[in-house]
Amino acid sequence: MSVAIKNNLKIIKQRIQSACEKCGRNPSEITLVAVSKTKPDEDVLQLLGAGQLHFGENRAKSLEDRMASIKDDSIQWHFIGNLQTNKIKYMAHRVDWIQSIHKKKALKEVEKRAAEEDRIINVLIQVNISSEDQKSGCSLEDLEGILKYAHNLKHTRVLGLMGMATFTDEPERVRPEFKLLRTLRDKHMHLNGGAVDLKHLSMGMTNDLEIAIEEGSTMVRVGTAIFGERNY
Ligand SMILES: *Cc1c(COP(=O)(O)O)cnc(C)c1O
């Protein structure tokens, strides 16, 4: 098992490298977030041993448990799932990135909890770029207001946008959605300043990371291709 996981990591890095070569980008611009949801701690430790430092979970309780059981200061923990505002307090003491902020109320809570912990938490604003799912992410229209609100935060840094593409087994179908996220980012660059610096685009998963990289992704979130199929 451990050999397989390390080999999977190698293969993913090669995929990132080839995708970058194809469009003239530098692989060092891409952060690989290993999405360990539902997988045992041993798997995470194997990857950590192989030099992987960014890990993501999509449930608040899973992240809390993971951060408690694997104590390593070099790890950057990402929360990537649907976020209920009342769960932020359970992760604020350690989480490094919250990728799924989609309203001012959640930003306000992150700011409050990070201040209490005397920390800075990086966040991405999740935008609804998918044609099918109305629930994940803010609307295109709400983005500007959220970014303006974020300007004066002291313990929260808004470092970019995150998007979940439509679930499909034809990767090319998601290209317009990735393009949309990048266009949105470019369109809002004039709001950079204060706590806002829109340098990251978190998009691309196991099935579509090449397309996401071609469209400007700086963070890919990969689960299945590293850890194997999930059974839930
Ligand atoms: C599970 C998950 C991923 C990883 O998906 P894979 O297809 O397994 O690579 C990425 N992002 C989010 C938000 C997820 O929940």
Side-chain angles (χ1 to χ4, degrees):
M1 191 60 181
S2 64
V3 177
I5 286 184
K6 282 187 192 171
N7 198 46
N8 289 345
L9 180 66
K10 220 169 107 187
I11 293 169
I12 279 294
K13 286 184 177 167
Q14 284 162 357
R15 281 178 60 186
I16 292 172
Q17 167 110 27
S18 319
C20 284
E21 274 165 17
K22 201 175 151 196
C23 57
R25 296 186 62 196
N26 187 333
S28 68
E29 293 168 22
I30 319 285
T31 300
L32 170 62
V33 180
V35 179
S36 47
K37 58 191 186 196
T38 78
K39 299 296 179 180
D41 285 350
E42 296 94 276
D43 292 4
V44 173
L45 291 168
Q46 285 294 330
L47 286 174
L48 181 63
Q52 175 62 29
L53 294 178
H54 290 258
F55 292 93
E57 289 288 339
N58 71 330
R59 299 206 173 140
K61 184 74 175 74
S62 312
L63 179 65
E64 199 189 338
D65 291 348
R66 196 77 85 182
M67 295 189 307
S69 59
I70 304 182
K71 293 202 180 297
D72 188 309
D73 290 344
S74 59
I75 294 182
Q76 300 237 344
W77 293 110
H78 294 244
F79 184 76
I80 61 173
N82 213 341
L83 183 60
Q84 288 169 273
T85 305
N86 64 0
K87 298 286 165 61
I88 292 170
K89 59 177 175 287
Y90 301 120
M91 58 181 81
H93 63 287
R94 179 63 179 86
V95 70
D96 297 289
W97 297 79
I98 301 178
Q99 298 206 6
S100 40
I101 296 290
H102 64 277
K103 49 187 184 191
K104 290 177 203 168
K105 193 176 148 208
L107 269 182
K108 191 174 172 191
E109 176 71 4
V110 171
E111 176 70 10
K112 177 181 163 193
R113 300 296 173 180
E116 283 171 5
E117 300 285 345
D118 196 19
R119 299 184 66 227
I120 290 177
I121 296 177
N122 299 322
V123 309
L124 304 179
I125 307 301
Q126 183 173 1
V127 186
N128 183 7
I129 52 169
S130 152
S131 49
E132 62 174 20
D133 181 4
Q134 296 309 310
K135 279 179 297 192
S136 56
C138 71
S139 66
L140 313 191
E141 298 75 33
D142 286 348
L143 181 57
E144 178 168 338
I146 294 173
L147 294 174
K148 284 184 174 162
Y149 174 81
H151 239 249
N152 297 322
L153 301 178
K154 296 283 176 283
H155 294 268
T156 312
R157 286 192 303 211
V158 177
L159 296 184
L161 307 181
M162 186 271 238
M164 293 273 284
T166 300
F167 188 74
T168 166
D169 45 18
E170 299 164 65
E172 276 300 329
R173 276 191 48 198
V174 302
R175 190 184 290 278
E177 298 174 359
F178 292 152
K179 268 195 205 307
L180 172 62
L181 195 67
R182 187 199 177 129
T183 307
L184 279 172
R185 193 272 308 268
D186 294 347
K187 209 175 114 186
H188 291 86
M189 284 296 254
H190 67 281
L191 295 175
N192 277 351
V196 179
D197 181 7
L198 299 177
K199 57 186 171 192
H200 280 291
L201 284 175
S202 174
M203 55 190 199
M205 320 200 309
T206 290
N207 289 330
D208 51 26
L209 69 92
E210 283 85 359
I211 297 173
I213 288 172
E214 284 172 34
E215 298 302 333
S217 173
T218 66
M219 252 185 210
V220 292
R221 310 177 308 268
V222 180
T224 311
I226 296 178
F227 295 96
E229 293 291 337
R230 293 176 293 268
N231 25 8
Y232 69 86

